Amino acid sequence: MSAIRNRLASFAGAAFSFVCSSAAAAQDSMSDPAGSGVIVSAVRWLEGTLLGTIATVVAVIAVASVGFLMLTGRINWRYGATVIIGCFILFGAASIVAGIQSTASLGN
């Protein structure tokens, strides 16, 4: 019984070290994987579209219409505040992430 336990323990240790070393190696390489150029460019296009002029126009219209509906009493204040806070989060995401990263780097 103890021989089986020793074998299982050594196998588990080997598997654990293999997984940890491959994860560390994957984190060291900051380049994109082969063949992902199309996907990366598509995501960047989507990001530019969602945070560009179109998104700004849609957000301005949304905030104006929700604000008007809130003032006339046709919409719940909680829903209106959710829309406005969502716009702040959407357009401030880069600043929020930069703040979190700078805070995390202070701990190192």
Side-chain angles (χ1 to χ4, degrees):
M1 271 315 234
S2 66
I4 295 173
R5 285 185 198 162
N6 289 340
R7 285 184 184 172
L8 286 175
S10 64
F11 177 73
F16 180 75
S17 64
F18 175 73
V19 169
C20 288
S21 66
S22 65
Q27 290 175 355
D28 285 341
S29 64
M30 296 300 288
S31 63
D32 295 327
S36 69
V38 176
I39 296 171
V40 171
S41 63
V43 169
R44 287 189 180 144
W45 174 83
L46 185 63
E47 177 187 15
T49 302
L50 291 177
L51 294 177
T53 308
I54 296 171
T56 305
V57 169
V58 169
V60 167
I61 292 171
V63 169
S65 62
V66 167
F68 180 72
L69 291 173
M70 287 169 51
L71 288 175
T72 58
R74 297 180 189 172
I75 195 171
N76 187 1
W77 281 85
R78 178 181 264 172
Y79 178 72
T82 303
V83 170
I84 294 170
I85 290 172
C87 289
F88 281 120
I89 291 173
L90 176 68
F91 291 110
S95 300
I96 293 169
V97 170
I100 291 171
Q101 286 177 343
S102 68
T103 303
S105 67
L106 290 177
N108 290 332

